[in-house]
Amino acid sequence: RLQDAARPTSEAGEEGLRNRHSGWKPLAVFLFFTVVVLGAGYAFFEQIAESAKSDAAKALASIGKLKAEQVRYYIERYEKNARSIARLLGQDGLTDWLGRGTAEMPAPWREALLETMRNRDDDALLILDPGANIRFGVGQYTRLSAEGRRLALKAATEAITVASDIYPGDPAAPDQALLDIFVPIMNPERTRTAGVLVLRSNLSYLYGLIQTWPVESRSAESVLVRKDGDHALFLNELRFRKQTALRMRVPLAAGKDFPAWASTMAARGETGVWEALDYRSEPVLAHTLPVPGTGWGMVVKVDMEEVLAPVRKLKNTTIGV
């Protein structure tokens, strides 16, 4: 009878134990599928992020090509304008004046040049004799540095058009970046160089041109650089930092985690897409390429946070759901 009385209690305990064991199975299944869903979701959003980077890289490559062509066209147009003016100046009246020493430029020529430059706010024009001495100047920056004189003498002696680099061409404004085109003024018979025309830009139009972005962006930027010794020298004013043209430089030996590393790749003339830090130490997606016809490199870049913003928004919404 004692055994019969104890049997129901024992069976009840075994049944409770079985119920407890069976209660873990749905939880285990739930946890398993949770891990699977989380893993699949992580892989899915990583794929979306890589796709977003790929699309942004393609857009940057197209924009970089456009910007580099704009720079090349700007310089070519400047050279064309300078040669046109030099041809007009190669007439008897002006070449005779250039050969007479320090006499003042004839009034008709002076008025014509002043009228030509009246609507060119970012330009200056200088006329030099064959010895690179300034005989006439109009505009904001009308002096010539030692490097400018060297280029002018080259244009005069070799009778060729010479374009300067972006450089501090006026010793009275050593912090001002300038671009000069030197064109020989030939005598009417085109047998000798009577002088040199210098058409000068303070680059404000060019800087505005390369920073104009074809689509709305809060962080996109274009940067011009060139190799200067063992450094990459910044040639333009930056969107997020002022007073940088010909002042800011970074070492070419910098590694990938160094701010503005993409600029060193551009200064070396390399073409590619890079995930790097920019000069603000912000993670960016950057495309680098050389500018045709120059010794310059270009970086077009956008903050990584902006590239991935739509992916993060979708991810946060999905996590919330």
Side-chain angles (χ1 to χ4, degrees):
R1 286 197 300 269
L2 289 174
Q3 290 177 351
D4 292 340
R7 188 176 294 115
T9 304
S10 176
E11 290 176 353
E14 290 175 0
E15 184 178 354
L17 185 61
R18 282 195 303 269
N19 289 337
R20 284 196 297 272
H21 282 302
S22 63
W24 281 101
K25 292 180 181 179
L27 180 59
V29 172
F30 173 77
L31 292 175
F32 172 76
F33 279 105
T34 300
V35 171
V36 170
V37 169
L38 289 175
Y42 176 82
F44 174 71
F45 281 108
E46 283 296 303
Q47 183 178 5
I48 292 180
E50 291 302 316
S51 178
K53 291 179 186 178
S54 177
D55 291 343
K58 291 176 182 177
L60 287 174
S62 297
I63 293 170
K65 183 178 180 180
L66 170 66
K67 294 298 178 185
E69 285 297 318
Q70 287 177 330
V71 173
R72 181 186 64 82
Y73 176 74
Y74 177 86
I75 296 173
E76 288 181 353
R77 180 173 62 85
Y78 232 75
E79 291 181 355
K80 183 178 179 180
N81 290 343
R83 285 194 291 267
S84 297
I85 296 172
R87 280 195 296 270
L88 292 174
L89 296 177
Q91 301 181 23
D92 286 330
L94 191 70
T95 54
D96 290 345
W97 165 72
L98 281 169
R100 287 201 302 266
T102 59
E104 185 178 356
M105 176 183 282
W109 284 107
R110 185 175 63 253
E111 292 303 320
L113 290 174
L114 290 173
E115 181 62 29
T116 298
M117 301 300 295
R118 189 156 288 140
N119 296 321
R120 302 171 71 110
D121 295 334
D122 65 335
D123 293 346
L125 182 147
L126 294 81
I127 295 179
L128 318 177
D129 63 22
N133 300 301
I134 298 174
R135 299 292 305 281
F136 175 82
V138 56
Q140 187 175 4
Y141 303 102
T142 55
R143 297 182 64 181
L144 208 60
S145 66
E147 175 64 9
R149 285 180 56 84
R150 183 187 72 79
L151 296 173
L153 289 172
K154 180 178 180 180
T157 56
E158 299 181 21
I160 59 173
T161 299
V162 178
S164 77
D165 209 322
I166 293 177
Y167 76 132
D170 189 331
D175 294 330
Q176 176 63 46
L178 299 170
L179 174 69
D180 290 341
I181 307 296
F182 300 85
V183 183
I185 302 172
M186 307 302 294
N187 70 335
E189 296 78 23
R190 303 193 66 80
T191 57
R192 62 179 177 83
T193 301
V196 177
L197 167 75
V198 184
L199 190 58
R200 167 171 286 176
S201 171
N202 68 16
L203 300 169
S204 60
Y205 178 81
L206 178 64
Y207 290 164
L209 182 68
I210 64 175
Q211 290 296 10
T212 302
W213 212 252
V215 294
E216 185 177 353
S217 173
R218 64 178 180 274
S219 66
E221 184 176 20
S222 304
V223 181
L224 279 177
V225 294
R226 77 161 182 259
K227 187 177 179 181
D228 185 36
D230 57 356
H231 285 75
L233 179 66
F234 286 62
L235 302 179
N236 65 307
E237 297 298 327
L238 302 176
R239 179 174 182 178
F240 302 104
R241 189 174 297 177
K242 304 304 179 184
Q243 305 298 315
T244 51
L246 302 180
R247 297 180 181 88
M248 185 173 171
R249 61 183 66 228
V250 293
L252 288 173
K256 189 171 183 178
D257 294 330
F258 184 82
W261 173 76
S263 299
T264 69
M265 308 307 289
R268 293 191 182 105
E270 296 193 28
T271 300
V273 178
W274 320 96
E275 293 185 35
L277 300 177
D278 75 347
Y279 58 89
R280 302 165 297 156
S281 297
E282 290 290 334
V284 297
L285 187 67
H287 177 72
T288 61
L289 71 162
V291 178
T294 72
W296 309 336
M298 174 171 280
V299 182
V300 288
K301 63 183 182 67
V302 64
D303 285 1
M304 192 65 75
E305 188 275 334
E306 182 176 342
V307 172
L308 298 179
V311 180
R312 291 199 180 98
K313 183 177 180 181
L314 177 62
K315 182 187 292 185
N316 292 338
T317 302
T318 304
I319 290 173
V321 171

